[in-house]
Amino acid sequence: MVITRTIKLDQFSKSILDTDRNIRSVAILDKTGKLLHSVTHRGTVQPSLEKWNDIHYIECTFDISMGAKLDDLYGPIRYHHSDKDDFIMFSFPHRKNIIIITCTKKISPIAFATKTAQMINNFKEF
């Protein structure tokens, strides 16, 4: 069961990674901010992601969960994005998990987020 879930997480992560060459990494967190799975684009050094620890993942989880408290008023959050110095980071809620994607600045944030949110919502497996 765990192996099957790991394979599905890997396939899902790689399918996101393959949608655009500007995507650098995909990480999947559980509702407590614990890293379940991550994949990085080959040949890419991602020092900002390597320095991350549980506190940073919990911070992303907190942002999404705080927004979820306003779902009744504004509707569900489809994504959250933040512009860092050398990359863009997106957080997408998926059931009780959160998917964090980092990209280069060459990507159009709204177009990418809309396309990726639809792809994530259509994925039912994990």
Side-chain angles (χ1 to χ4, degrees), residues 20 40 58-59 106:
D20 193 298
T40 304
I58 291 170
E59 181 182 340
K106 295 178 184 176

Side-chain angles (χ1 to χ4, degrees), residues 28-37 54 57-58 61:
I28 301 173
L29 313 174
D30 69 6
K31 64 182 175 183
T32 64
K34 179 183 171 195
L35 181 65
L36 298 175
H37 187 76
D54 291 340
Y57 289 139
I58 291 170
T61 304

Side-chain angles (χ1 to χ4, degrees), residues 17-18 27 43 45 53 57 62 81 83-84 90 103 112 114 126:
L17 196 66
D18 292 340
V45 176
N53 57 27
Y57 289 139
F62 180 74
H81 103 275
D83 204 347
K84 306 294 184 183
F90 295 89
C103 305
F112 172 76
T114 301
F126 70 95

Side-chain angles (χ1 to χ4, degrees), residues 78-81 90 92 108-118:
R78 292 180 52 213
Y79 69 92
H80 176 279
H81 103 275
F90 295 89
F92 297 88
S108 169
I110 294 173
F112 172 76
T114 301
K115 176 182 166 186
T116 305
Q118 291 173 347

Side-chain angles (χ1 to χ4, degrees), residues 3-102:
I3 294 172
T4 303
R5 183 173 186 215
T6 302
I7 290 170
K8 288 179 182 179
L9 289 175
D10 190 56
Q11 290 171 343
F12 178 67
S13 298
K14 286 180 180 176
S15 69
I16 292 173
L17 196 66
D18 292 340
T19 60
D20 193 298
R21 64 188 168 121
N22 292 304
I23 297 173
R24 295 297 169 232
S25 65
V26 177
I28 301 173
L29 313 174
D30 69 6
K31 64 182 175 183
T32 64
K34 179 183 171 195
L35 181 65
L36 298 175
H37 187 76
S38 68
V39 63
T40 304
H41 202 322
R42 288 184 183 209
T44 301
V45 176
Q46 189 81 359
S48 299
L49 191 63
E50 290 171 5
K51 291 179 185 177
W52 277 35
N53 57 27
D54 291 340
I55 293 170
H56 292 97
Y57 289 139
I58 291 170
E59 181 182 340
C60 293
T61 304
F62 180 74
D63 287 343
I64 294 292
S65 67
M66 287 304 294
K69 294 183 185 301
L70 300 172
D71 281 357
D72 292 338
L73 185 60
Y74 297 111
I77 292 176
R78 292 180 52 213
Y79 69 92
H80 176 279
H81 103 275
S82 56
D83 204 347
K84 306 294 184 183
D85 286 340
D86 52 351
F87 66 96
I88 300 173
M89 184 180 76
F90 295 89
S91 303
F92 297 88
H94 183 267
R95 298 185 184 176
K96 294 184 179 183
N97 298 319
I98 296 175
I99 300 157
I100 297 176
I101 302 172
T102 59

